[in-house]
């Protein structure tokens, strides 16, 4: 049985009504599993939890051990699918993983901000550091510029040979500028398989090396993903959270909702919402179709965007991602004076208050015309994280095929680059 379970209490529907989408969901799943749909040359992620390269997996663990032993800082250079999964995982597991000797992890190569670059360089200071540059194409401008900067810093500090021992390149097996540089300079390389696109790559070396450096147990992540893989592929509609989630999104589209808000109640899950946003935005937002995916952190954002969600344009529905159990426990204590009037909560945990906020908000939003599907999971750990990654990926493939788009391409991402290259004077882009 899945430890990721949809709860329809405030969804504006029932599992019975949702069964109306069952056949379409089954059809989309069949297309996905049989590889007969658009983008079927990018389905390598489907069986990854079982069929990953075991030798490369061992190399990832060894490299992570070396980085932990010789680096106080670790710089992950990549953009989009090349870093969002690792960022999601590392933040999600923060506070749950014991991390003696784990370097501070920084993310760059995902913007052109001078301030951001300087603040990372300053934060690293004189400390020993290593770099993981991640780019499938090997030519992404944000990533390439950041890598040029950090490669120079490494070479100045450790010399060319010393620097090469601290550069880990995750890229295509054979082609691309980064692969060429890695081969020429002797960097340790890891492979992004040809048949796995960026946003579906978290369970490959793309995500796994930084996650392993953070001290997380990547075996458990793969085991969780493998469990979810079996559930998604085999189980019927009522036992299958991914099919139910895909169906719910389509019911919401039918009801003319155009915005899906992923609500989390723990700031450490915010980066996971960023990963989810790219997954669904890039997979479904095409041909004039798709739900606009966005994320909020509650209860924080109830004091900013809560008014709109309760009462503004009725365009959205919510997907609440919620851990049933906390890894830690804080009890609110009795106060003799009770000047703040909080003694009615004495003896209750902070997690209890959070849960009441979640249930109360879901009910209020439902009444206001913003229904929500609650996706509950047991607690934050590697095993559930693996399940969640695979759950959202699989549901995305199913949902994309139900929508009639190719969930595995991203033609729209190229447009900004052409204009930017023309303005930058990149050869070959003079006319646009
Ligand atoms: O999901 C995707 O395919 C994209 O987000 C890419 O991961 C992103 O554009 C980075 O590309 P690359 O890995 O080629 O540098």
């Amino acid at each position: 049985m899945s430890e990721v379970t949809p709860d329809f209490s405030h969804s504006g529907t029932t599992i019975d009504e949702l069964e109306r989408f069952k056949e379409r969901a089954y059809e989309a799943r069949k297309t996905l599993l049989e590889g007969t749909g658009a983008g079927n040359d990018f389905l390598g992620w489907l069986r990854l939890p079982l069929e990953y390269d075991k030798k490369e997996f061992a190399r990832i663990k060894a490299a992570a051990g070396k980085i932990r032993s010789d680096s106080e800082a670790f710089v992950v250079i990549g953009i989009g699918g090349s870093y969002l999964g690792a960022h999601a995982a590392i933040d999600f597991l923060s506070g749950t993983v014991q991390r003696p000797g784990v370097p501070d992890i920084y993310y760059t190569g995902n913007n052109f901000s001078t301030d951001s670059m300087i603040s990372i360089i300053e934060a690293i200071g004189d400390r020993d550091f290593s770099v993981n540059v991640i780019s499938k194409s090997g030519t992404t401008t944000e990533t390439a510029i950041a890598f040029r900067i950090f490669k120079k810093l490494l070479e100045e500090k450790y010399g060319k040979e010393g620097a090469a021992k601290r550069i880990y390149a995750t890229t295509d097996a054979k082609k691309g500028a980064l692969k060429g540089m890695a081969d020429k300079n002797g960097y340790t390389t890891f492979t992004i398989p040809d048949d796995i696109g960026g946003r579906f790559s978290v369970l490959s070396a793309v995500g796994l090396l930084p996650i392993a450096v953070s001290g997380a147990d990547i075996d458990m992540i793969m085991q969780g993903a493998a469990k979810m893989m079996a559930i998604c592929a085999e189980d019927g509609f009522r036992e299958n959270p991914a099919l139910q989630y895909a169906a719910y999104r389509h019911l919401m589209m039918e009801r003319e909702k155009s915005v899906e808000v992923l609500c989390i109640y723990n700031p450490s899950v915010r980066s996971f919402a960023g990963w989810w946003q790219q997954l669904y935005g890039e997979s479904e937002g095409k041909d004039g179709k798709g739900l606009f995916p966005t994320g909020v952190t509650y209860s924080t954002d109830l004091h900013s965007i809560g008014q709109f969600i309760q009462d503004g344009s009725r365009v959205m529905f919510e997907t609440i991602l919620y851990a049933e159990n906390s890894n830690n426990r804080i009890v609110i204590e009795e106060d003799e004076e009770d000047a703040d009037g909080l003694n009615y909560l004495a003896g209750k945990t902070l997690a209890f208050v959070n849960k009441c906020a979640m249930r109360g908000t879901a009910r209020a939003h439902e009444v206001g015309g913003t229904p929500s599907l609650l996706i509950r999971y047991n607690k934050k750990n590697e095993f559930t994280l693996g399940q969640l990654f695979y759950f959202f990926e699989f549901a995305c493939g199913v949902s994309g095929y139900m929508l009639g788009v190719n969930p595995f391409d991203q033609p729209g991402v190229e447009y900004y680059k052409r204009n930017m290259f023309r303005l930058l004077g990149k050869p070959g882009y003079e006319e646009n």
Side-chain angles (χ1 to χ4, degrees), residues 7-12 248 252 263 317-320 361-363 365-366 370-374:
D7 175 328
F8 293 93
S9 308
H10 303 291
S11 66
Y248 185 69
M252 291 296 109
C263 310
F317 69 97
E318 296 179 315
T319 297
I320 304 167
T361 304
R363 175 68 187 140
H365 288 179
E366 181 190 16
T370 300
S372 59
L373 178 68
L374 169 59

Side-chain angles (χ1 to χ4, degrees), residues 259-271:
V259 178
E260 178 177 7
V261 186
L262 191 77
C263 310
I264 52 150
Y265 280 79
N266 184 332
S268 70
V269 189
R270 192 179 293 152
S271 310

Side-chain angles (χ1 to χ4, degrees), residues 168-385:
Y168 300 81
T170 307
T171 189
D172 189 272
K174 297 194 191 87
K175 56 184 189 303
L178 181 56
K179 176 65 180 157
M181 285 163 84
D183 287 349
K184 186 168 165 235
N185 296 307
Y187 307 151
T188 301
T189 56
F190 296 98
T191 301
I192 309 178
D194 282 345
D195 57 356
I196 300 181
R199 59 189 174 276
F200 288 86
S201 68
V202 61
L203 299 176
S204 74
V206 171
L208 293 177
L209 177 60
I211 297 170
V213 170
S214 80
D217 182 344
I218 57 174
D219 286 288
M220 287 305 284
I221 292 178
M222 297 309 269
Q223 283 171 32
K227 177 169 180 182
M228 184 56 75
M229 177 182 152
I231 291 166
C232 288
E234 289 155 23
D235 283 355
F237 190 76
R238 286 195 173 245
E239 298 78 37
N240 195 317
L243 298 188
Q244 291 171 27
Y245 174 49
Y248 185 69
R249 301 179 80 248
H250 284 266
L251 175 68
M252 291 296 109
M253 284 187 242
E254 201 179 83
R255 293 187 185 170
E256 301 193 337
K257 300 293 189 190
S258 53
V259 178
E260 178 177 7
V261 186
L262 191 77
C263 310
I264 52 150
Y265 280 79
N266 184 332
S268 70
V269 189
R270 192 179 293 152
S271 310
F272 189 92
W275 171 82
W276 166 89
Q277 183 175 39
Q278 188 213 3
L279 182 65
Y280 282 80
E282 254 183 33
S283 299
E284 289 193 333
K286 50 197 73 159
D287 309 335
K289 297 180 184 174
L291 292 161
F292 180 79
T294 187
V296 293
T297 306
Y298 289 160
S299 66
T300 313
D301 293 337
L302 289 171
H303 297 255
S304 59
I305 203 69
Q307 167 64 35
F308 193 108
I309 292 179
Q310 183 67 46
D311 217 13
S313 315
R314 301 296 71 197
V315 293
M316 79 277 290
F317 69 97
E318 296 179 315
T319 297
I320 304 167
L321 188 57
Y322 195 81
E324 274 303 300
N325 298 295
S326 292
N327 295 65
N328 299 298
R329 186 180 155 87
I330 291 179
V331 177
I332 300 167
E333 289 181 13
E334 177 116 7
D335 183 275
E336 223 172 82
E337 289 178 16
D338 195 27
D340 50 14
L342 284 176
N343 270 357
Y344 76 100
L345 290 174
K348 299 280 196 293
T349 62
L350 210 48
F352 169 78
V353 179
N354 208 18
K355 192 168 195 163
C356 292
M358 186 273 285
R359 286 284 181 195
T361 304
R363 175 68 187 140
H365 288 179
E366 181 190 16
V367 171
T370 300
S372 59
L373 178 68
L374 169 59
I375 296 175
R376 293 183 305 182
Y377 60 97
N378 178 20
K379 64 152 73 164
K380 288 200 300 167
N381 58 35
E382 287 94 335
F383 191 69
T384 3
L385 178 62

Side-chain angles (χ1 to χ4, degrees), residues 79-82 134-140 143 192 197-200 278 282 410 413 417:
I79 193 166
S82 287
I134 309 164
S135 178
K136 186 168 182 181
S137 62
T139 55
T140 303
T143 305
I192 309 178
R199 59 189 174 276
F200 288 86
Q278 188 213 3
E282 254 183 33
Q410 55 283 329
V413 179
K417 293 184 190 171

